[in-house]
Amino acid sequence: MNDPWVPVPMTIRSRRQETSDTVTFELDASAAPVRFRPGQFTMLWRYGLGEVAISVSGDPREPERLVHTIRAVGAVTRPITQLRPGDVLGVRGPFGRPWPVDEAEGSDVVLVAGGLGMAPLRPAWLHLLANRERYGRVLLLVGARTPADLLFPDQLGAWRARFDTEVQVTVDRADAGWRGPIGVVTRLLERAGLDPARTRVMTCGPEVMMKFVAREALRQGIPADRIAVSMERNMQCAIGVCGHCQWGADFVCRDGPVFGWDRVGARFAVAGV
Amino acid sequence: MARALPITHLQALLDRLGADGRTVVGPVARDGAVVLEPVRIVDELAQGWRDEQAPGRYRLVPGEPRVFGALLGPQSPKTWLYPAKLTLFRAERDGASFRTTSPDRPPRLALLGLRACDLAAIRLQDRVLLGSGVEDPAYASRRREVLLVAVQCHRSAETCFCASMDTGPEVSSGYDLRLTEVIDERGHRLVVEAGSEAGRAIAADLPLVDVPHDDDAASRQAAEARAGQSKSLRTEGLRERLLDALRGPHWDEVATRCLGCAGCTMVCPTCFCTAVADVTDATGAAERVRRWDSCFHTEFTHVHGGPTRAELAARYRQWLTHKLATWHDQFGTSGCVGCGRCTTWCPAGIDLVAEAERAATAERRTE
Ligand SMILES: Cc1cc2nc3c(=O)[nH]c(=O)nc-3n(C[C@H](O)[C@H](O)[C@H](O)COP(=O)(O)OP(=O)(O)OC[C@H]3O[C@@H](n4cnc5c(N)ncnc54)[C@H](O)[C@@H]3O)c2cc1C
Ligand code: SF4
Ligand code: SF4
Ligand code: FES
């Protein structure tokens, strides 16, 4: 029997410094392929130091390469982001409910990413591109604090150059080289010219941002059950037994992290549930 | 016909329960409370003590003729089936990689002296740790092997409200053996009834005697316990009333009395929350160690940027609404079995039944 608490060792194949505090690793999962759905996450264990929940940011068609984009914020993520190719991480997962990319077939799809929220949305975007014919308009709206905080800037450029996608990037504060829009990401949503009857929204970022995205989408007439958010909570187990990730009646690790706004919207109005 | 073990033969039961290498755990009086500890001989049991319980108060008083005269202490089956601290796995370095080894085999247990509410609590933990998708191996391995020997309550404590939770006082299912302690002019004995194959095999090996007059001993004592139970939780519509009151004024008020000590969650037989941390030693070996945790701790909801339940009022609300409301959504039943431990062991004497009623009826705050 596989013990759900025991991680599998995987070797880091490559490391890419995305921003000053954020790193993308590719792990060699060829011995134990990680077949994941966009929006799922794993638990990454740095030997002897601790374990953290991290979204898969890679391509769902490549289960032998496990890609994670990690921001150094604390006691475990800092030492993890210092690892180099050849070093080993423990991996459990994948866990959680995915973005509703299947349910979205036939619809226009808008992904709205704030900051690190691009990491869990990237697999969804790659899925949309890989199955482009199954979707209507596909839009990627990205917000970052400054141009230097943008994740995957080269790829954003390449996606933007395609004729069958709409990719827009905005920053809170520009620098000298910035030619794009300045302001919050909800602005981009306001100007996207969406058809509310055939649009699905998937958003990940700080909770206030997701709240404003949902509010704007609702204002445009997009139904609550077509708006999906991805939540972050303290997680110790990812298998629904440690209790930490409870949010209302939901276990975020098991019932989420992706939720429909129809299910959780009211919760955003009550602090500390 | 009912069969009973003369109390003078109680040692035979302890011996038989421990026969195949099992650790027998039973009620033991220690430092002024009844706790659940390994017992080998009858004299170790908490014989002669009776418990008095009230909100914020627990006392053992002597002079009780019964062996199982004290009802509930601060511990519960959770202490043994889901230990407060355990190793999930060990690991050692292997070049750049690591190798893991499983924890030691858990002890095979016989739990003696459980009450109806304890059996109900085990059923709830089963739903959480075995029945909701992924099994917890540490719990599963202990749970599969354990023998459960229950004792029928003959009275209720002031803090008991199992009748209103439909979990007692009758010991009605989920046991291997049910004991009913009877003291009358015919003597002092334990009526023994088996509830499983394992229980029948054990009973068959005991020096039992026929006691035709004891056929209804268990139901008689349960009726006495029920009649003496004055506390009750009004459960009709409680889930809805509590969830409607999330923004009510009561949480701030109770937070002025609550010390945030987490004691209620530790003694609660159904609370299952745990935290996991790494422990390393001088050789470089690592262990992942799991400990009971509590939603009352500020760090419980720690994420980058701070806890999501920073206010004590929000943490108290989580405890009460999880137990009595969202548990229904998650596991199809209340998370409370009415044992009263949280109330007895609260240093501030906060009474769960009273708080639930107040929270659910307090005027809703208008925005
Ligand atoms: C579903 C999900 C997906 C995520 N995806 C990503 C991603 O793709 N990229 C990314 O960078 N981040 C992601 N995160 C966030 C990431 O998990 C956190 O940033 C990370 O856990 C921080 O860990 P840390 O130890 O470095 O930080 P710290 O702030 O030091 O600690 C946070 C964690 O440490 C533990 N902890 C710290 N202090 C205490 C204490 N006093 N008591 C108990 N426990 C404590 C807790 O487990 C807590 O989760 C995701 C989170 C979730 C829930
Ligand atoms: S909430 Fe209190 S009364 Fe209910 S099961 Fe837990 S400790 Fe017992
Ligand atoms: S009441 Fe608190 S400690 Fe107990 S199970 Fe619920 S969240 Fe965990
Ligand atoms: S992370 Fe443990 S229950 Fe969700």
Side-chain angles (χ1 to χ4, degrees):
Chain A
M1 189 193 72
N2 264 356
D3 188 325
W5 286 97
V6 176
V8 177
M10 292 190 194
T11 305
I12 295 173
R13 251 199 216 141
S14 70
R15 175 187 192 276
R16 202 184 116 98
Q17 190 81 37
E18 296 285 352
T19 70
S20 60
D21 60 2
T22 305
V23 167
T24 295
F25 288 121
E26 183 186 316
L27 298 165
D28 181 358
S30 53
V34 179
R35 288 175 219 291
F36 73 98
R37 308 271 303 134
Q40 286 192 297
F41 66 97
T42 72
M43 297 297 281
L44 294 183
W45 182 52
R46 167 98 201 242
Y47 184 97
L49 289 180
E51 197 182 47
V52 287
I54 303 291
S55 308
V56 187
S57 65
D59 191 329
R61 290 170 305 169
E62 300 182 330
E64 302 191 346
R65 301 155 175 247
L66 179 61
V67 178
H68 283 298
T69 302
I70 307 167
R71 174 173 291 168
V73 298
V76 180
T77 47
R78 237 177 249 129
I80 284 182
T81 51
Q82 284 157 9
L83 294 175
R84 300 283 145 183
D87 289 337
V88 169
L89 277 171
V91 179
R92 296 193 293 130
F95 301 111
R97 299 225 178 145
W99 295 111
V101 287
D102 292 342
E103 296 84 336
E105 287 187 7
S107 304
D108 297 346
V109 184
V110 191
L111 307 189
V112 188
L116 200 58
M118 187 58 215
L121 280 168
R122 184 169 175 269
W125 182 248
L126 294 176
H127 178 90
L128 298 182
L129 298 187
N131 301 280
R132 185 66 194 85
E133 72 288 353
R134 297 190 204 158
Y135 299 94
R137 287 174 70 192
V138 297
L139 298 87
L140 176 60
L141 311 180
V142 180
R145 271 172 305 166
T146 72
D149 291 313
L150 269 179
L151 294 181
F152 321 118
D154 303 347
Q155 293 168 39
L156 285 174
W159 294 329
R160 216 182 133 92
R162 290 174 59 142
F163 294 112
D164 61 349
T165 64
E166 295 163 67
V167 178
Q168 301 242 24
V169 181
T170 181
V171 296
D172 297 342
R173 275 173 290 118
D175 58 15
W178 184 251
R179 305 256 179 288
I182 298 172
V184 292
V185 73
T186 38
R187 263 316 147 58
L188 301 179
L189 197 58
E190 286 165 22
R191 294 193 294 240
L194 302 174
D195 175 354
R198 48 169 297 144
T199 300
R200 282 213 179 233
V201 177
M202 304 178 198
T203 182
C204 185
E207 282 185 30
V208 280
M209 182 210 99
M210 295 193 286
K211 186 162 133 180
F212 282 113
V213 166
R215 191 178 289 176
E216 171 58 22
L218 291 169
R219 193 193 62 78
Q220 294 184 21
I222 298 171
D225 63 357
R226 309 259 175 86
I227 302 166
V229 298
S230 181
M231 297 300 295
E232 177 180 344
R233 282 295 179 268
N234 187 305
M235 291 190 180
Q236 306 274 317
C237 75
I239 54 174
V241 303
C242 79
H244 279 257
C245 68
Q246 286 179 82
W247 183 46
D250 288 317
F251 291 90
V252 173
C253 68
R254 192 183 68 196
D255 305 315
V258 174
F259 293 100
W261 191 258
D262 53 325
R263 176 160 174 156
V264 300
R267 259 179 233 163
F268 273 73
V270 190
V273 286
Chain B
M1 180 188 317
R3 311 258 295 157
L5 183 70
I7 206 71
T8 46
H9 287 303
L10 181 53
Q11 186 63 41
L13 176 63
L14 295 189
D15 292 344
R16 179 58 184 84
L17 290 174
D20 44 357
R22 270 177 212 282
T23 304
V24 182
V25 169
V28 168
R30 167 107 46 231
D31 300 329
V34 166
V35 292
L36 296 173
E37 288 189 357
V39 285
R40 286 204 178 75
I41 55 168
V42 168
D43 283 352
E44 291 172 311
L45 292 168
Q47 176 158 26
W49 295 102
R50 174 192 166 93
D51 53 340
E52 283 181 5
Q53 305 196 35
R57 212 179 66 115
Y58 178 95
R59 203 156 73 95
L60 283 184
V61 290
E64 165 69 51
R66 291 170 180 268
V67 176
F68 298 102
L71 302 174
L72 297 172
Q75 297 182 333
S76 69
K78 168 174 106 166
T79 307
W80 287 91
L81 298 178
Y82 199 58
K85 179 184 173 199
L86 64 74
T87 297
L88 293 172
F89 65 88
R90 297 195 173 81
E92 54 188 51
R93 291 194 183 279
D94 178 14
S97 188
F98 61 83
R99 251 196 321 264
T100 57
T101 48
S102 305
D104 307 329
R105 267 184 73 90
R108 297 174 69 228
L109 297 166
L111 300 183
L112 169 65
L114 304 183
R115 306 292 167 159
C117 60
D118 289 327
L119 297 177
I122 292 174
R123 281 196 291 276
L124 290 201
Q125 289 225 311
D126 284 353
R127 292 201 193 191
V128 178
L129 300 167
L130 304 178
S132 58
V134 183
E135 277 194 3
D136 181 69
Y139 181 78
S141 57
R142 286 166 176 77
R143 177 72 179 93
R144 296 247 150 77
E145 290 285 337
V146 72
L147 286 175
L148 302 175
V149 183
V151 171
Q152 176 56 56
C153 287
H154 62 292
R155 63 179 176 89
S156 293
E158 196 188 305
T159 42
C160 294
F161 57 102
C162 61
S164 62
M165 303 312 289
D166 234 351
T167 56
E170 299 85 356
V171 172
S172 50
S173 66
Y175 55 85
D176 293 295
L177 289 175
R178 172 171 76 172
L179 310 178
T180 306
E181 187 168 7
V182 182
I183 303 176
D184 60 16
E185 62 289 353
R186 294 188 183 92
H188 186 175
R189 59 197 174 276
L190 294 168
V191 177
V192 177
E193 291 155 294
S196 70
E197 271 316 308
R200 268 184 280 285
I202 294 166
D205 291 344
L206 297 176
L208 302 183
V209 296
D210 289 343
V211 278
H213 33 75
D214 282 347
D215 281 347
D216 60 348
S219 51
R220 259 194 345 251
Q221 295 206 358
E224 281 167 35
R226 183 179 287 267
Q229 196 169 112
S230 51
K231 202 177 190 66
S232 82
L233 180 64
R234 195 159 63 92
T235 54
E236 313 79 38
L238 183 60
R239 175 188 168 280
E240 292 69 25
R241 285 184 283 133
L242 282 173
L243 293 181
D244 273 351
L246 287 182
R247 295 197 227 200
H250 183 64
W251 312 110
D252 288 331
E253 192 282 314
V254 68
T256 64
R257 289 175 284 132
C258 173
L259 309 175
C261 72
C264 48
T265 52
M266 298 293 112
V267 297
C268 178
T270 71
C271 269
F272 55 82
C273 287
T274 57
V276 187
D278 285 49
V279 176
T280 48
D281 69 18
T283 70
E287 270 180 57
R288 293 277 290 159
V289 175
R290 175 168 84 185
R291 292 185 180 80
W292 288 352
D293 200 356
S294 168
C295 57
F296 277 94
H297 293 143
T298 318
E299 319 83 67
F300 186 83
T301 56
H302 178 89
V303 289
H304 177 55
T308 58
R309 287 184 211 112
E311 307 294 330
L312 181 53
R315 299 198 294 279
Y316 189 89
R317 183 179 64 191
Q318 165 64 18
W319 142 259
L320 202 74
T321 56
H322 185 217
K323 280 286 108 156
L324 301 176
T326 51
W327 208 295
H328 286 281
D329 303 86
Q330 296 171 347
F331 305 109
T333 170
S334 171
C336 174
V337 298
C339 72
R341 285 183 179 91
C342 55
T343 301
T344 295
W345 295 94
C346 174
I350 295 174
D351 179 336
L352 175 118
V353 168
E355 299 310 327
E357 194 55 40
R358 282 189 210 140
T361 50
E363 193 112 330
R364 258 180 105 169
R365 185 185 293 160
T366 46
E367 264 139 279

